[in-house]
Amino acid sequence: MKILVIEDDPFLLRTVTRTLREKGYAVDSAQEGESGLFKAEGSDYDLILLDVLLPKLDGWSILKRLRETKKTPVLMLTARDALPDRVRGLDGGADDYLTKPFEFDELLARIRAVIRRHASHAQSEIQIADVVINIPKRTVISGGEAVSLTPREYALLEFLALRRGQLVTRAMLYEHIFDETEEPMSNLIDVHVSNLRKKLGRDLIVTRRGHGFYVE
């Protein structure tokens, strides 16, 4: 899953970005509004964390312009905690609103919930045959046994599982699994898919040659 963080506080931006990467998310960032909007409009993120008080272009304006073209989930993360601000954010198209200061456990839970809702999957667990994926715990059980996955393998599996029955192209996987700081090798997705098949069974992920992958 790939998240864009638009936040002008350097310390908070570094902290949020580091924490999300430690949790297995690919993370892009922007420290002012114009570059944030440019990135938000130019990529298909799984979620955007959006501050309100930003240089060059504020969060309200970013949200308004983004909603003219994209449905990317937006979680507003701001010190503006007055009721009219929260109402303005939600009515303006934000999917959730969290005020600063916040606890990271709550932020992570809200991120997971917004991503699940956007994928039309309200449950925190996904079961595919005998494979059970627990999204909050980021754990996978196959045939009743816990399976150890690398963060990247888990991210790829969760992305496919949340789009169960849908064809996912390699380009989509590269865009959502890796962030702007990485230059992955061209066959890296195939390597991760191969590893997942070894750990979870060959039939879990289906290849549609020349198009991409899906789980049934």
Side-chain angles (χ1 to χ4, degrees):
M1 296 297 172
K2 192 172 185 177
I3 295 175
L4 172 63
V5 183
I6 308 176
E7 168 63 59
D8 69 330
D9 182 323
F11 175 76
L12 184 58
L13 180 62
R14 285 197 303 273
T15 304
V16 171
T17 299
R18 182 179 65 248
T19 301
L20 292 176
R21 284 179 177 153
E22 288 173 353
K23 294 298 181 182
Y25 294 99
V27 185
D28 290 348
S29 63
Q31 206 167 341
E32 44 85 8
E34 288 184 353
S35 64
L37 178 62
F38 179 79
K39 291 182 179 182
E41 290 181 324
S43 296
D44 289 325
Y45 291 97
D46 295 292
L47 182 124
I48 296 172
L49 290 180
L50 178 62
D51 190 11
V52 171
L53 301 176
L54 294 164
K56 298 187 179 180
L57 190 66
D58 65 40
W60 305 125
S61 301
I62 292 173
L63 183 61
K64 181 179 179 182
R65 290 173 58 176
L66 184 67
R67 282 292 173 260
E68 292 173 358
T69 57
K70 283 184 172 285
K71 297 180 180 178
T72 309
V74 172
L75 195 166
M76 301 202 77
L77 193 63
T78 173
R80 297 178 69 102
D81 60 354
L83 177 59
D85 291 321
R86 300 199 299 273
V87 171
R88 181 181 180 184
L90 295 170
D91 282 348
D95 297 83
D96 201 355
Y97 194 104
L98 181 62
T99 57
K100 305 172 186 174
F102 57 87
E103 297 292 337
F104 268 102
D105 284 347
E106 182 179 4
L107 174 63
L108 292 169
R110 286 174 182 262
I111 287 173
R112 291 191 295 266
V114 171
I115 290 175
R116 287 202 312 272
R117 286 202 302 271
H118 188 67
S120 300
H121 197 288
Q123 304 301 315
S124 60
E125 281 193 350
I126 302 173
Q127 181 160 5
I128 304 169
D130 66 347
V131 174
V132 179
I133 304 164
N134 186 306
I135 294 175
K137 296 180 179 177
R138 298 177 67 82
T139 59
V140 176
I141 293 174
S142 178
E145 300 288 334
V147 178
S148 177
L149 301 182
T150 67
R152 200 76 77 189
E153 289 167 356
Y154 176 85
L156 194 154
L157 178 64
E158 182 186 296
F159 189 83
L160 289 172
L162 285 172
R163 289 155 184 79
R164 187 175 186 177
Q166 302 175 31
L167 181 68
V168 177
T169 65
R170 282 181 172 77
M172 290 170 64
L173 288 171
Y174 275 107
E175 183 168 11
H176 287 266
I177 303 300
F178 301 99
D179 64 36
E180 60 192 356
T181 66
E182 301 172 290
E183 294 184 6
M185 295 182 294
S186 60
N187 68 337
L188 198 51
I189 293 295
D190 295 282
V191 171
H192 289 315
V193 169
S194 176
N195 289 338
L196 284 170
R197 285 173 172 154
K198 290 176 184 174
K199 295 178 179 180
L200 301 173
R202 296 198 56 79
D203 297 332
L204 181 67
I205 300 174
V206 179
T207 299
R208 184 172 292 178
R209 192 171 299 278
H211 296 279
F213 307 94
Y214 64 94
V215 296
E216 296 180 312

